Amino acid sequence: MVEKTSDTPGQSETKRGLFGRRHVVIPWDRNKPYFVGRAPFIALVLLNIVGAFAAAFLTYRHVMLSANAGKVGESFLCKAQGIINCDGILLTDYSVILGYFPSSVLGFMGFAFALWIIVGALFLQRLRKLAIMALVLYFFTAIGFSWYYIYIMIFEVDYICTWCIVCHVVNFTSLFIALTIAIKRRKDFLLEETAPAAERFYYVAGACLIALLVFAGSGFWEYALSFQNAKMRYEELANDPIVIMALLKSSPTYEIPIGPGDPVYGNPAAPFPVVLFSDFQCPMCSQTEAYLKEAVRHNPDVLRLVYKNFPLSPDCNRTVIGNLHPYACEAAKAAHAAFVLQGNDGFWKYGDLLFANQKTFKRRPWIEYATQLGMDVHAFEQLLGPDQKPALKIKEDTELGASLKLYATPQLFFEGKNIPQTFKGDFLLDTLEELIRLNHPEKGELRLNKRF
């Protein structure tokens, strides 16, 4: 129901709402831009193109690093310089959402959503009020994520990601522009919508669909570029042990020296060593080591686990490009200091503490853990020096890893064969059995215990 207060065009009208309340509606002057002109939307387009590029680059870089670990060279778009290290941040747990997709994908989706809204309003002035409302709501949400990731950069990791900062600046600036327009034109929100309901629905739904397509496309891209390709190839062979053994037999056989300086888990007299090249700042290494320990515990007269160091940091590993795990070398030295002081038992207990507390490495808790395990703290501190046994042992292990052409962790060797990372669970133990039978015909009846 409309109660007109004036018949003069351009003057206000009074409308009665659903509950009888009256409010003023200011008619739209069709000779002027509806709500606001094009200039703010042009600025928003340029800003969000920059933001979309930054988020796309971070997504690409994350996938490449995840797929190739220590073999990816620095990007000229973000070279590591002091605390500036995009790669260092991209390989932390904070860069992944729900353990599956890079957080940069979320930003890429948001910028795609915003660009659809902005471009639509740029060319269709009847959609500009709806566009400002949508942009204010979206960028308020985006700012929440920006504050979270700014906090992570300042307080949780030691590095700053310049392209992440670009994304955050675009979010803050875009919100400022949209919010300024909304506040200046707050009375104009009472104007009647001029776009049909179907057009408004298509406009907003299209933006959501674009964002979902970006997510789907990024997921497909990640699948195509990451280690999933290798995983697929191996899984296709998983049900054919004959093909698997033929593959392993044709692969190179390596001599892996094992000496008294190598930590051993299980019975040192067990005849078959499982050699693990690992990194204490690597989440996957923690899972692999835990499984292998279980396998050793359930096969104490057959298997023993031998630990070798391969930290993915140039601080102690010359083969690594980019400081992917900045605290891995220090953690390795601390674990081997524990080995020198308390032998195998001390090493594995200290290693368990490291794997369980990887997110605390920023504060370098090496002395704290030594104290917790009752070690001689003074002797422990001395062993952390550059010319002490732990540092020399790590150098020896990383040189061995370099000669084996390793580039990632964990890496597993058994009977001289490099076992693919995709061999897990019972299938891994079946492979170990086959290799024992192949190289030791007298052990033809050997069966590993897999019930754990």
Side-chain angles (χ1 to χ4, degrees):
M1 174 180 179
V2 178
E3 297 178 358
K4 291 188 177 180
T5 58
S6 171
D7 292 329
T8 305
Q11 293 187 358
S12 63
E13 299 177 349
T14 301
K15 274 195 172 184
R16 190 183 298 277
L18 288 175
F19 301 101
R21 294 181 64 186
R22 296 181 179 182
H23 60 276
V24 175
V25 177
I26 303 171
W28 170 38
D29 186 344
R30 296 181 182 275
N31 296 317
K32 297 180 180 179
Y34 180 45
F35 201 71
V36 71
R38 286 186 174 184
F41 292 100
I42 293 173
L44 285 168
V45 164
L46 297 176
L47 271 172
N48 282 266
I49 287 174
V50 172
F53 173 82
F57 169 74
L58 289 171
T59 301
Y60 168 79
R61 190 70 184 166
H62 180 100
V63 172
M64 294 300 294
L65 289 168
S66 299
N68 296 286
K71 272 196 167 179
V72 180
E74 284 188 330
S75 169
F76 74 95
L77 290 176
C78 189
K79 291 186 176 181
Q81 297 176 348
I83 63 171
I84 305 298
N85 190 337
C86 298
D87 293 352
I89 291 180
L90 287 173
L91 286 178
T92 66
D93 292 341
Y94 299 109
S95 68
V96 179
I97 297 175
L98 301 177
Y100 173 66
F101 62 95
S103 56
S104 53
V105 171
L106 194 64
F108 196 14
M109 291 170 63
F111 288 123
F113 173 91
L115 281 170
W116 173 278
I117 294 292
I118 296 164
V119 171
L122 180 63
F123 293 101
L124 296 174
Q125 59 180 343
R126 60 181 175 272
L127 292 171
R128 289 178 187 172
K129 183 178 79 171
L130 179 59
I132 293 299
M133 293 170 64
L135 292 174
V136 168
L137 289 173
Y138 165 69
F139 283 113
F140 258 121
T141 304
I143 289 302
F145 283 95
S146 286
W147 278 123
Y148 170 73
Y149 286 112
I150 289 170
Y151 168 84
I152 293 300
M153 276 196 291
I154 295 174
F155 297 106
E156 297 295 336
V157 296
D158 276 346
Y159 298 120
I160 292 175
C161 170
T162 50
W163 286 108
C164 300
I165 292 174
V166 168
C167 292
H168 303 325
V169 169
V170 170
N171 285 338
F172 279 103
T173 308
S174 297
L175 176 62
F176 175 78
I177 293 173
L179 199 57
T180 299
I181 295 170
I183 292 172
K184 285 186 176 180
R185 302 286 183 175
R186 59 188 178 277
K187 291 182 180 179
D188 293 348
F189 277 105
L190 297 175
L191 292 171
E192 289 185 297
E193 293 288 354
T194 58
E199 185 178 45
R200 281 177 277 152
F201 173 80
Y202 164 78
Y203 181 54
V204 176
C208 295
L209 180 61
I210 287 290
L212 291 174
L213 287 174
V214 166
F215 174 77
S218 298
F220 177 79
W221 182 36
E222 178 180 8
Y223 180 81
L225 294 179
S226 73
F227 66 90
Q228 292 296 334
N229 286 336
K231 183 178 179 181
M232 278 183 55
R233 289 194 295 271
Y234 283 123
E235 287 180 345
E236 287 172 358
L237 302 173
N239 295 321
D240 192 342
I242 296 175
V243 175
I244 288 293
M245 290 313 300
L247 178 65
L248 282 176
K249 278 193 242 183
S250 64
S251 68
T253 300
Y254 301 96
E255 290 292 333
I256 311 292
I258 298 172
D262 293 310
V264 175
Y265 184 84
N267 179 5
F272 299 107
V274 181
V275 181
L276 175 66
F277 283 82
S278 187
D279 174 330
F280 284 111
Q281 204 176 347
C282 161
M284 184 61 71
C285 293
S286 174
Q287 299 173 26
T288 300
E289 183 184 297
Y291 178 81
L292 292 174
K293 283 181 177 179
E294 283 294 316
V296 168
R297 279 195 289 269
H298 286 79
N299 297 276
D301 298 325
V302 181
L303 301 176
R304 70 184 192 271
L305 177 62
V306 178
Y307 189 97
K308 298 279 189 182
N309 297 279
F310 199 74
L312 295 180
S313 170
D315 293 343
C316 62
N317 189 340
R318 65 177 178 81
T319 67
V320 174
I321 302 173
N323 208 356
L324 304 180
H325 292 160
Y327 304 105
C329 294
E330 293 180 44
K333 282 198 294 185
H336 276 271
F339 176 71
V340 172
L341 295 175
Q342 293 188 349
N344 287 319
D345 187 57
F347 174 85
W348 296 107
K349 285 182 179 178
Y350 197 95
D352 287 344
L353 283 174
L354 292 174
F355 277 134
N357 298 280
Q358 288 176 329
K359 290 184 180 180
T360 69
F361 284 8
K362 179 181 178 181
R363 58 182 177 84
R364 294 176 168 85
W366 325 129
I367 303 297
E368 176 187 334
Y369 296 158
T371 304
Q372 187 175 329
L373 295 175
M375 297 178 188
D376 182 335
V377 173
H378 178 69
F380 182 87
E381 285 186 287
Q382 286 187 321
L383 287 167
L384 298 181
D387 299 320
Q388 298 297 312
K389 284 184 179 180
L392 297 176
K393 173 58 178 168
I394 292 161
K395 181 179 180 181
E396 176 187 312
D397 285 354
T398 54
E399 289 299 322
L400 174 60
S403 69
L404 297 171
K405 296 182 172 56
L406 302 186
Y407 63 90
T409 53
Q411 293 289 332
L412 193 64
F413 288 83
F414 187 76
E415 289 293 292
K417 298 294 186 180
N418 188 191
I419 309 299
Q421 293 182 34
T422 48
F423 289 17
K424 296 177 182 179
D426 288 356
F427 183 60
L428 170 60
L429 296 182
D430 287 341
T431 302
L432 302 188
E433 280 184 0
E434 289 294 325
L435 286 172
I436 292 172
R437 294 192 199 104
L438 175 67
N439 296 326
H440 306 274
E442 71 280 7
K443 301 287 186 181
E445 300 302 319
L446 183 143
R447 294 292 181 272
L448 293 177
N449 183 4
K450 302 163 190 156
R451 296 185 180 180
F452 56 88

